[in-house]
Amino acid sequence: MFEPYFLLVVLHVVLFAYWLGADFGVFTCSRYIVRPDLPLAERERFLEALLAIDILPRTAIVLLPFVGLQLASMRGSIDVSSATLVVAWSVGFVWLAVVWMAYLKTREPTGPFWQRIDVSWRVVLIVILWVLGVSSLLRGAPFTAKWIAVKLLVYAALLMVGLYLRVSIRGWRLGFIRLRQGESGPDIDALFSDGRRRAKYAAFVFWALIVTMAWLGITQPY
């Protein structure tokens, strides 16, 4: 019961749970952030809650591929050396540190710097995942199990949708700046409402992809 493989499977499941569950909390908070009838202080409190909740799925997003790689290695679905696993985990922890720095420095001048690093790494990872996934489907390498290859492609799609969600609500930053300056009006309200409208439908796709990943991991259909 307490063998490393079993414990990693449990961690994998827990990370999925936090990813999907906490994401709904983020979605709920966004509903109040965009409401123009609420005082600015109230909307900012919901923003703080959103950011605090969002760090959980962001942490899960970082750790899941590396836990998955370790599991794939242990079950023989990929042939990697111990040195490669050490390098992979090192990259994972560095990425996790960047994600947390972007969260902790959100309101500081260095915040955008850490966010750019995070986004840049996600773009690189998307390309790597697509190459690995397609190669594994066509050649049976480096991953021999096709369901893992498909899972890599779904994860890459999740990262892409996640980047789109960030772009969708990019106007919120400007909206809060203008609200703090005492401005108001339909144009400012639109910065919030338009962003959430675009993000809402992307969020549904995001959740569907998460469920698809879970289904692939449980059923291992091919």
Side-chain angles (χ1 to χ4, degrees):
M1 180 178 293
F2 296 103
E3 294 179 354
Y5 184 84
F6 175 80
L7 294 176
L8 282 174
V9 170
V10 172
L11 176 60
H12 204 56
V13 173
V14 170
L15 289 172
F16 260 115
Y18 271 107
W19 190 358
L20 186 58
D23 241 26
F24 184 74
V26 170
F27 183 79
T28 301
C29 287
S30 70
R31 182 184 306 161
Y32 298 96
I33 291 173
V34 304
R35 283 180 52 178
D37 60 310
L38 293 179
L40 174 58
E42 189 74 9
R43 295 170 75 174
E44 288 193 314
R45 277 195 289 271
F46 277 108
L47 176 62
E48 291 293 335
L50 181 149
L51 294 173
I53 296 171
D54 193 41
I55 193 60
L56 294 176
R58 291 195 182 197
T59 298
I61 286 172
V62 172
L63 292 178
L64 271 170
F66 302 101
V67 174
L69 177 62
Q70 186 72 48
L71 286 171
S73 173
M74 295 172 73
R75 65 184 291 136
S77 298
I78 185 174
D79 184 19
V80 292
S81 65
S82 298
T84 301
L85 289 173
V86 170
V87 171
W89 277 106
S90 299
V91 170
F93 285 125
V94 170
W95 182 19
L96 184 61
V98 169
V99 168
W100 272 86
M101 287 298 292
Y103 164 65
L104 295 173
K105 303 295 183 180
T106 299
R107 293 187 178 276
E108 298 184 18
T110 57
F113 167 75
W114 293 107
Q115 291 168 10
R116 284 194 297 271
I117 294 179
D118 182 27
V119 170
S120 299
W121 166 244
R122 288 169 190 257
V123 172
V124 171
L125 185 58
I126 287 170
V127 174
I128 293 173
L129 289 169
W130 275 100
V131 170
L132 293 176
V134 172
S135 175
S136 297
L137 283 176
L138 296 179
R139 297 172 49 247
F143 291 93
T144 57
K146 288 186 177 181
W147 68 269
I148 294 181
V150 175
K151 203 172 179 182
L152 292 177
L153 297 177
V154 174
Y155 181 79
L158 277 164
L159 292 178
M160 293 171 66
V161 175
L163 291 178
Y164 174 78
L165 285 168
R166 293 192 184 195
V167 173
S168 297
I169 62 172
R170 188 167 49 188
W172 287 11
R173 180 185 294 273
L174 176 59
F176 273 111
I177 291 175
R178 294 179 64 179
L179 286 174
R180 293 180 191 118
Q181 292 173 345
E183 299 182 43
S184 61
D187 57 329
I188 297 178
D189 296 341
L191 290 172
F192 292 96
S193 59
D194 290 350
R196 188 178 188 276
R197 186 181 64 253
R198 291 190 297 269
K200 178 174 66 175
Y201 298 108
F204 295 151
V205 175
F206 196 78
W207 296 337
L209 290 172
I210 294 176
V211 172
T212 300
M213 280 191 69
W215 177 80
L216 286 167
I218 294 171
T219 63
Q220 302 176 15
Y222 35 75

mmCIF file of all heavy atoms in Angstrom, residues 26-64:
data_model
loop_
_atom_site.group_PDB
_atom_site.id
_atom_site.type_symbol
_atom_site.label_atom_id
_atom_site.label_comp_id
_atom_site.label_asym_id
_atom_site.label_seq_id
_atom_site.Cartn_x
_atom_site.Cartn_y
_atom_site.Cartn_z
ATOM 1 N N VAL A 26 -12.167 29.369 -8.777
ATOM 2 C CA VAL A 26 -11.689 30.525 -9.534
ATOM 3 C C VAL A 26 -12.811 31.078 -10.406
ATOM 4 O O VAL A 26 -13.029 32.293 -10.476
ATOM 5 C CB VAL A 26 -10.477 30.128 -10.415
ATOM 6 C CG1 VAL A 26 -10.121 31.250 -11.386
ATOM 7 C CG2 VAL A 26 -9.281 29.799 -9.532
ATOM 8 N N PHE A 27 -13.516 30.174 -11.072
ATOM 9 C CA PHE A 27 -14.625 30.570 -11.952
ATOM 10 C C PHE A 27 -15.702 31.305 -11.161
ATOM 11 O O PHE A 27 -16.258 32.311 -11.616
ATOM 12 C CB PHE A 27 -15.198 29.330 -12.626
ATOM 13 C CG PHE A 27 -16.303 29.608 -13.601
ATOM 14 C CD1 PHE A 27 -16.019 30.071 -14.868
ATOM 15 C CD2 PHE A 27 -17.627 29.384 -13.244
ATOM 16 C CE1 PHE A 27 -17.041 30.317 -15.783
ATOM 17 C CE2 PHE A 27 -18.649 29.635 -14.146
ATOM 18 C CZ PHE A 27 -18.363 30.094 -15.413
ATOM 19 N N THR A 28 -16.015 30.815 -9.969
ATOM 20 C CA THR A 28 -17.045 31.434 -9.139
ATOM 21 C C THR A 28 -16.632 32.829 -8.688
ATOM 22 O O THR A 28 -17.429 33.768 -8.724
ATOM 23 C CB THR A 28 -17.339 30.558 -7.908
ATOM 24 O OG1 THR A 28 -17.768 29.261 -8.343
ATOM 25 C CG2 THR A 28 -18.419 31.179 -7.043
ATOM 26 N N CYS A 29 -15.377 32.994 -8.269
ATOM 27 C CA CYS A 29 -14.895 34.308 -7.850
ATOM 28 C C CYS A 29 -14.967 35.322 -8.984
ATOM 29 O O CYS A 29 -15.282 36.501 -8.768
ATOM 30 C CB CYS A 29 -13.456 34.206 -7.350
ATOM 31 S SG CYS A 29 -13.278 33.420 -5.738
ATOM 32 N N SER A 30 -14.681 34.866 -10.208
ATOM 33 C CA SER A 30 -14.677 35.786 -11.346
ATOM 34 C C SER A 30 -16.053 36.400 -11.573
ATOM 35 O O SER A 30 -16.173 37.521 -12.080
ATOM 36 C CB SER A 30 -14.211 35.054 -12.606
ATOM 37 O OG SER A 30 -15.176 34.112 -13.050
ATOM 38 N N ARG A 31 -17.103 35.685 -11.181
ATOM 39 C CA ARG A 31 -18.463 36.183 -11.354
ATOM 40 C C ARG A 31 -18.688 37.475 -10.568
ATOM 41 O O ARG A 31 -19.430 38.362 -11.015
ATOM 42 C CB ARG A 31 -19.448 35.104 -10.901
ATOM 43 C CG ARG A 31 -20.917 35.453 -11.068
ATOM 44 C CD ARG A 31 -21.775 34.348 -10.489
ATOM 45 N NE ARG A 31 -21.436 33.048 -11.064
ATOM 46 C CZ ARG A 31 -21.761 31.884 -10.505
ATOM 47 N NH1 ARG A 31 -22.389 31.863 -9.326
ATOM 48 N NH2 ARG A 31 -21.431 30.753 -11.088
ATOM 49 N N TYR A 32 -18.047 37.590 -9.421
ATOM 50 C CA TYR A 32 -18.226 38.775 -8.582
ATOM 51 C C TYR A 32 -17.225 39.882 -8.929
ATOM 52 O O TYR A 32 -17.508 41.059 -8.710
ATOM 53 C CB TYR A 32 -18.096 38.376 -7.108
ATOM 54 C CG TYR A 32 -19.151 37.384 -6.687
ATOM 55 C CD1 TYR A 32 -18.888 36.018 -6.681
ATOM 56 C CD2 TYR A 32 -20.434 37.806 -6.336
ATOM 57 C CE1 TYR A 32 -19.864 35.093 -6.323
ATOM 58 C CE2 TYR A 32 -21.414 36.894 -5.969
ATOM 59 C CZ TYR A 32 -21.125 35.539 -5.972
ATOM 60 O OH TYR A 32 -22.097 34.636 -5.629
ATOM 61 N N ILE A 33 -16.104 39.511 -9.468
ATOM 62 C CA ILE A 33 -15.110 40.516 -9.872
ATOM 63 C C ILE A 33 -15.663 41.419 -10.967
ATOM 64 O O ILE A 33 -15.364 42.619 -11.016
ATOM 65 C CB ILE A 33 -13.816 39.818 -10.349
ATOM 66 C CG1 ILE A 33 -13.116 39.153 -9.164
ATOM 67 C CG2 ILE A 33 -12.866 40.807 -11.032
ATOM 68 C CD1 ILE A 33 -11.932 38.297 -9.555
ATOM 69 N N VAL A 34 -16.483 40.870 -11.852
ATOM 70 C CA VAL A 34 -16.966 41.640 -12.996
ATOM 71 C C VAL A 34 -18.237 42.437 -12.691
ATOM 72 O O VAL A 34 -18.714 43.183 -13.561
ATOM 73 C CB VAL A 34 -17.223 40.712 -14.205
ATOM 74 C CG1 VAL A 34 -15.975 39.924 -14.546
ATOM 75 C CG2 VAL A 34 -18.390 39.762 -13.949
ATOM 76 N N ARG A 35 -18.777 42.310 -11.487
ATOM 77 C CA ARG A 35 -20.038 42.993 -11.169
ATOM 78 C C ARG A 35 -19.809 44.466 -10.870
ATOM 79 O O ARG A 35 -19.188 44.822 -9.863
ATOM 80 C CB ARG A 35 -20.714 42.315 -9.974
ATOM 81 C CG ARG A 35 -21.418 41.019 -10.325
ATOM 82 C CD ARG A 35 -22.061 40.383 -9.117
ATOM 83 N NE ARG A 35 -22.932 41.299 -8.375
ATOM 84 C CZ ARG A 35 -23.637 40.956 -7.298
ATOM 85 N NH1 ARG A 35 -23.574 39.696 -6.862
ATOM 86 N NH2 ARG A 35 -24.381 41.836 -6.683
ATOM 87 N N PRO A 36 -20.318 45.379 -11.717
ATOM 88 C CA PRO A 36 -20.103 46.816 -11.499
ATOM 89 C C PRO A 36 -20.886 47.380 -10.316
ATOM 90 O O PRO A 36 -20.589 48.489 -9.846
ATOM 91 C CB PRO A 36 -20.570 47.437 -12.824
ATOM 92 C CG PRO A 36 -21.559 46.460 -13.366
ATOM 93 C CD PRO A 36 -21.070 45.104 -12.950
ATOM 94 N N ASP A 37 -21.896 46.629 -9.831
ATOM 95 C CA ASP A 37 -22.694 47.124 -8.715
ATOM 96 C C ASP A 37 -22.001 46.920 -7.375
ATOM 97 O O ASP A 37 -22.448 47.466 -6.357
ATOM 98 C CB ASP A 37 -24.059 46.434 -8.689
ATOM 99 C CG ASP A 37 -23.945 44.921 -8.536
ATOM 100 O OD1 ASP A 37 -23.168 44.311 -9.305
ATOM 101 O OD2 ASP A 37 -24.607 44.363 -7.645
ATOM 102 N N LEU A 38 -20.904 46.159 -7.346
ATOM 103 C CA LEU A 38 -20.188 45.928 -6.099
ATOM 104 C C LEU A 38 -19.128 47.007 -5.887
ATOM 105 O O LEU A 38 -18.531 47.496 -6.853
ATOM 106 C CB LEU A 38 -19.515 44.548 -6.116
ATOM 107 C CG LEU A 38 -20.437 43.332 -6.115
ATOM 108 C CD1 LEU A 38 -19.607 42.047 -6.168
ATOM 109 C CD2 LEU A 38 -21.328 43.322 -4.885
ATOM 110 N N PRO A 39 -18.863 47.371 -4.623
ATOM 111 C CA PRO A 39 -17.803 48.349 -4.350
ATOM 112 C C PRO A 39 -16.443 47.821 -4.806
ATOM 113 O O PRO A 39 -16.218 46.602 -4.861
ATOM 114 C CB PRO A 39 -17.852 48.496 -2.818
ATOM 115 C CG PRO A 39 -19.189 47.979 -2.410
ATOM 116 C CD PRO A 39 -19.550 46.919 -3.405
ATOM 117 N N LEU A 40 -15.552 48.742 -5.121
ATOM 118 C CA LEU A 40 -14.220 48.348 -5.590
ATOM 119 C C LEU A 40 -13.514 47.447 -4.579
ATOM 120 O O LEU A 40 -12.885 46.448 -4.953
ATOM 121 C CB LEU A 40 -13.373 49.604 -5.852
ATOM 122 C CG LEU A 40 -11.901 49.371 -6.202
ATOM 123 C CD1 LEU A 40 -11.765 48.500 -7.435
ATOM 124 C CD2 LEU A 40 -11.188 50.713 -6.382
ATOM 125 N N ALA A 41 -13.609 47.795 -3.284
ATOM 126 C CA ALA A 41 -12.937 47.002 -2.250
ATOM 127 C C ALA A 41 -13.441 45.566 -2.245
ATOM 128 O O ALA A 41 -12.664 44.618 -2.052
ATOM 129 C CB ALA A 41 -13.148 47.640 -0.871
ATOM 130 N N GLU A 42 -14.748 45.397 -2.476
ATOM 131 C CA GLU A 42 -15.329 44.054 -2.502
ATOM 132 C C GLU A 42 -14.812 43.269 -3.710
ATOM 133 O O GLU A 42 -14.460 42.092 -3.596
ATOM 134 C CB GLU A 42 -16.852 44.159 -2.558
ATOM 135 C CG GLU A 42 -17.586 42.846 -2.373
ATOM 136 C CD GLU A 42 -17.582 42.347 -0.935
ATOM 137 O OE1 GLU A 42 -17.148 43.099 -0.038
ATOM 138 O OE2 GLU A 42 -17.987 41.194 -0.720
ATOM 139 N N ARG A 43 -14.758 43.920 -4.842
ATOM 140 C CA ARG A 43 -14.275 43.257 -6.059
ATOM 141 C C ARG A 43 -12.802 42.881 -5.919
ATOM 142 O O ARG A 43 -12.370 41.829 -6.398
ATOM 143 C CB ARG A 43 -14.496 44.172 -7.265
ATOM 144 C CG ARG A 43 -15.968 44.423 -7.535
ATOM 145 C CD ARG A 43 -16.194 45.511 -8.550
ATOM 146 N NE ARG A 43 -15.900 45.055 -9.917
ATOM 147 C CZ ARG A 43 -16.134 45.810 -10.996
ATOM 148 N NH1 ARG A 43 -16.653 47.025 -10.864
ATOM 149 N NH2 ARG A 43 -15.853 45.336 -12.194
ATOM 150 N N GLU A 44 -12.035 43.710 -5.252
ATOM 151 C CA GLU A 44 -10.620 43.403 -5.045
ATOM 152 C C GLU A 44 -10.440 42.240 -4.079
ATOM 153 O O GLU A 44 -9.495 41.454 -4.222
ATOM 154 C CB GLU A 44 -9.878 44.641 -4.547
ATOM 155 C CG GLU A 44 -9.698 45.693 -5.625
ATOM 156 C CD GLU A 44 -8.706 46.761 -5.215
ATOM 157 O OE1 GLU A 44 -8.802 47.249 -4.069
ATOM 158 O OE2 GLU A 44 -7.835 47.103 -6.044
ATOM 159 N N ARG A 45 -11.340 42.110 -3.113
ATOM 160 C CA ARG A 45 -11.267 40.961 -2.198
ATOM 161 C C ARG A 45 -11.526 39.663 -2.955
ATOM 162 O O ARG A 45 -10.864 38.644 -2.713
ATOM 163 C CB ARG A 45 -12.269 41.131 -1.049
ATOM 164 C CG ARG A 45 -11.754 42.008 0.099
ATOM 165 C CD ARG A 45 -12.600 41.848 1.342
ATOM 166 N NE ARG A 45 -13.908 42.456 1.177
ATOM 167 C CZ ARG A 45 -14.188 43.719 1.461
ATOM 168 N NH1 ARG A 45 -13.235 44.516 1.914
ATOM 169 N NH2 ARG A 45 -15.411 44.204 1.297
ATOM 170 N N PHE A 46 -12.471 39.699 -3.889
ATOM 171 C CA PHE A 46 -12.720 38.502 -4.700
ATOM 172 C C PHE A 46 -11.539 38.222 -5.618
ATOM 173 O O PHE A 46 -11.230 37.056 -5.904
ATOM 174 C CB PHE A 46 -14.006 38.668 -5.516
ATOM 175 C CG PHE A 46 -15.255 38.340 -4.733
ATOM 176 C CD1 PHE A 46 -16.124 39.348 -4.326
ATOM 177 C CD2 PHE A 46 -15.551 37.030 -4.396
ATOM 178 C CE1 PHE A 46 -17.269 39.048 -3.600
ATOM 179 C CE2 PHE A 46 -16.695 36.719 -3.666
ATOM 180 C CZ PHE A 46 -17.560 37.733 -3.263
ATOM 181 N N LEU A 47 -10.872 39.274 -6.077
ATOM 182 C CA LEU A 47 -9.673 39.070 -6.892
ATOM 183 C C LEU A 47 -8.576 38.400 -6.074
ATOM 184 O O LEU A 47 -7.902 37.480 -6.564
ATOM 185 C CB LEU A 47 -9.173 40.414 -7.429
ATOM 186 C CG LEU A 47 -7.859 40.356 -8.231
ATOM 187 C CD1 LEU A 47 -8.023 39.496 -9.477
ATOM 188 C CD2 LEU A 47 -7.400 41.771 -8.598
ATOM 189 N N GLU A 48 -8.400 38.850 -4.838
ATOM 190 C CA GLU A 48 -7.402 38.226 -3.965
ATOM 191 C C GLU A 48 -7.744 36.755 -3.718
ATOM 192 O O GLU A 48 -6.861 35.892 -3.715
ATOM 193 C CB GLU A 48 -7.336 38.984 -2.629
ATOM 194 C CG GLU A 48 -6.760 40.390 -2.717
ATOM 195 C CD GLU A 48 -5.293 40.386 -3.090
ATOM 196 O OE1 GLU A 48 -4.607 39.376 -2.828
ATOM 197 O OE2 GLU A 48 -4.818 41.385 -3.648
ATOM 198 N N ALA A 49 -9.040 36.488 -3.506
ATOM 199 C CA ALA A 49 -9.464 35.098 -3.295
ATOM 200 C C ALA A 49 -9.209 34.269 -4.544
ATOM 201 O O ALA A 49 -8.740 33.125 -4.459
ATOM 202 C CB ALA A 49 -10.946 35.055 -2.921
ATOM 203 N N LEU A 50 -9.501 34.844 -5.707
ATOM 204 C CA LEU A 50 -9.273 34.128 -6.967
ATOM 205 C C LEU A 50 -7.801 33.759 -7.124
ATOM 206 O O LEU A 50 -7.471 32.618 -7.467
ATOM 207 C CB LEU A 50 -9.738 34.995 -8.138
ATOM 208 C CG LEU A 50 -9.611 34.415 -9.550
ATOM 209 C CD1 LEU A 50 -10.720 34.968 -10.455
ATOM 210 C CD2 LEU A 50 -8.249 34.750 -10.178
ATOM 211 N N LEU A 51 -6.913 34.710 -6.870
ATOM 212 C CA LEU A 51 -5.487 34.449 -7.026
ATOM 213 C C LEU A 51 -5.008 33.388 -6.030
ATOM 214 O O LEU A 51 -4.183 32.532 -6.368
ATOM 215 C CB LEU A 51 -4.697 35.749 -6.843
ATOM 216 C CG LEU A 51 -4.916 36.823 -7.921
ATOM 217 C CD1 LEU A 51 -4.215 38.122 -7.529
ATOM 218 C CD2 LEU A 51 -4.425 36.334 -9.273
ATOM 219 N N ALA A 52 -5.524 33.465 -4.795
ATOM 220 C CA ALA A 52 -5.114 32.496 -3.772
ATOM 221 C C ALA A 52 -5.589 31.089 -4.117
ATOM 222 O O ALA A 52 -4.875 30.103 -3.902
ATOM 223 C CB ALA A 52 -5.660 32.918 -2.408
ATOM 224 N N ILE A 53 -6.801 30.980 -4.661
ATOM 225 C CA ILE A 53 -7.323 29.670 -5.050
ATOM 226 C C ILE A 53 -6.606 29.157 -6.294
ATOM 227 O O ILE A 53 -6.285 27.973 -6.412
ATOM 228 C CB ILE A 53 -8.845 29.743 -5.314
ATOM 229 C CG1 ILE A 53 -9.585 30.111 -4.024
ATOM 230 C CG2 ILE A 53 -9.378 28.423 -5.869
ATOM 231 C CD1 ILE A 53 -11.061 30.423 -4.232
ATOM 232 N N ASP A 54 -6.323 30.076 -7.221
ATOM 233 C CA ASP A 54 -5.756 29.685 -8.514
ATOM 234 C C ASP A 54 -4.357 29.087 -8.402
ATOM 235 O O ASP A 54 -3.931 28.338 -9.282
ATOM 236 C CB ASP A 54 -5.710 30.911 -9.443
ATOM 237 C CG ASP A 54 -5.443 30.531 -10.886
ATOM 238 O OD1 ASP A 54 -6.008 29.523 -11.341
ATOM 239 O OD2 ASP A 54 -4.666 31.234 -11.554
ATOM 240 N N ILE A 55 -3.638 29.401 -7.331
ATOM 241 C CA ILE A 55 -2.284 28.859 -7.202
ATOM 242 C C ILE A 55 -2.319 27.339 -7.013
ATOM 243 O O ILE A 55 -1.342 26.644 -7.330
ATOM 244 C CB ILE A 55 -1.520 29.530 -6.029
ATOM 245 C CG1 ILE A 55 -0.030 29.201 -6.099
ATOM 246 C CG2 ILE A 55 -2.116 29.146 -4.698
ATOM 247 C CD1 ILE A 55 0.664 29.642 -7.360
ATOM 248 N N LEU A 56 -3.443 26.803 -6.529
ATOM 249 C CA LEU A 56 -3.557 25.347 -6.366
ATOM 250 C C LEU A 56 -3.598 24.626 -7.720
ATOM 251 O O LEU A 56 -2.793 23.725 -7.955
ATOM 252 C CB LEU A 56 -4.783 25.005 -5.520
ATOM 253 C CG LEU A 56 -4.722 25.467 -4.058
ATOM 254 C CD1 LEU A 56 -6.048 25.160 -3.361
ATOM 255 C CD2 LEU A 56 -3.582 24.771 -3.329
ATOM 256 N N PRO A 57 -4.523 24.988 -8.641
ATOM 257 C CA PRO A 57 -4.473 24.326 -9.948
ATOM 258 C C PRO A 57 -3.193 24.620 -10.712
ATOM 259 O O PRO A 57 -2.709 23.772 -11.471
ATOM 260 C CB PRO A 57 -5.705 24.878 -10.680
ATOM 261 C CG PRO A 57 -6.129 26.078 -9.924
ATOM 262 C CD PRO A 57 -5.700 25.856 -8.513
ATOM 263 N N ARG A 58 -2.615 25.793 -10.526
ATOM 264 C CA ARG A 58 -1.352 26.092 -11.214
ATOM 265 C C ARG A 58 -0.231 25.189 -10.700
ATOM 266 O O ARG A 58 0.627 24.757 -11.466
ATOM 267 C CB ARG A 58 -0.975 27.562 -11.029
ATOM 268 C CG ARG A 58 -1.892 28.515 -11.768
ATOM 269 C CD ARG A 58 -1.327 29.902 -11.877
ATOM 270 N NE ARG A 58 -2.243 30.808 -12.537
ATOM 271 C CZ ARG A 58 -1.908 31.972 -13.041
ATOM 272 N NH1 ARG A 58 -0.654 32.377 -12.967
ATOM 273 N NH2 ARG A 58 -2.801 32.749 -13.631
ATOM 274 N N THR A 59 -0.255 24.917 -9.412
ATOM 275 C CA THR A 59 0.723 23.983 -8.845
ATOM 276 C C THR A 59 0.495 22.580 -9.392
ATOM 277 O O THR A 59 1.442 21.871 -9.750
ATOM 278 C CB THR A 59 0.626 23.972 -7.310
ATOM 279 O OG1 THR A 59 0.935 25.286 -6.810
ATOM 280 C CG2 THR A 59 1.592 22.966 -6.704
ATOM 281 N N ALA A 60 -0.769 22.186 -9.479
ATOM 282 C CA ALA A 60 -1.096 20.857 -10.011
ATOM 283 C C ALA A 60 -0.671 20.728 -11.466
ATOM 284 O O ALA A 60 -0.147 19.689 -11.885
ATOM 285 C CB ALA A 60 -2.596 20.601 -9.872
ATOM 286 N N ILE A 61 -0.888 21.779 -12.253
ATOM 287 C CA ILE A 61 -0.515 21.761 -13.658
ATOM 288 C C ILE A 61 0.982 21.506 -13.817
ATOM 289 O O ILE A 61 1.419 20.781 -14.711
ATOM 290 C CB ILE A 61 -0.895 23.105 -14.324
ATOM 291 C CG1 ILE A 61 -2.407 23.174 -14.531
ATOM 292 C CG2 ILE A 61 -0.176 23.281 -15.664
ATOM 293 C CD1 ILE A 61 -2.893 24.529 -14.997
ATOM 294 N N VAL A 62 1.771 22.103 -12.930
ATOM 295 C CA VAL A 62 3.229 21.939 -13.000
ATOM 296 C C VAL A 62 3.639 20.522 -12.624
ATOM 297 O O VAL A 62 4.456 19.893 -13.305
ATOM 298 C CB VAL A 62 3.929 22.957 -12.080
ATOM 299 C CG1 VAL A 62 5.428 22.662 -12.006
ATOM 300 C CG2 VAL A 62 3.704 24.374 -12.586
ATOM 301 N N LEU A 63 3.091 19.995 -11.542
ATOM 302 C CA LEU A 63 3.554 18.722 -11.005
ATOM 303 C C LEU A 63 3.040 17.506 -11.778
ATOM 304 O O LEU A 63 3.723 16.479 -11.843
ATOM 305 C CB LEU A 63 3.133 18.597 -9.540
ATOM 306 C CG LEU A 63 3.823 19.563 -8.562
ATOM 307 C CD1 LEU A 63 3.271 19.372 -7.161
ATOM 308 C CD2 LEU A 63 5.334 19.334 -8.571
ATOM 309 N N LEU A 64 1.855 17.605 -12.369
ATOM 310 C CA LEU A 64 1.245 16.443 -13.018
ATOM 311 C C LEU A 64 2.115 15.788 -14.099
ATOM 312 O O LEU A 64 2.270 14.558 -14.093
ATOM 313 C CB LEU A 64 -0.118 16.817 -13.608
ATOM 314 C CG LEU A 64 -1.303 16.641 -12.658
ATOM 315 C CD1 LEU A 64 -2.560 17.269 -13.251
ATOM 316 C CD2 LEU A 64 -1.546 15.161 -12.386
#
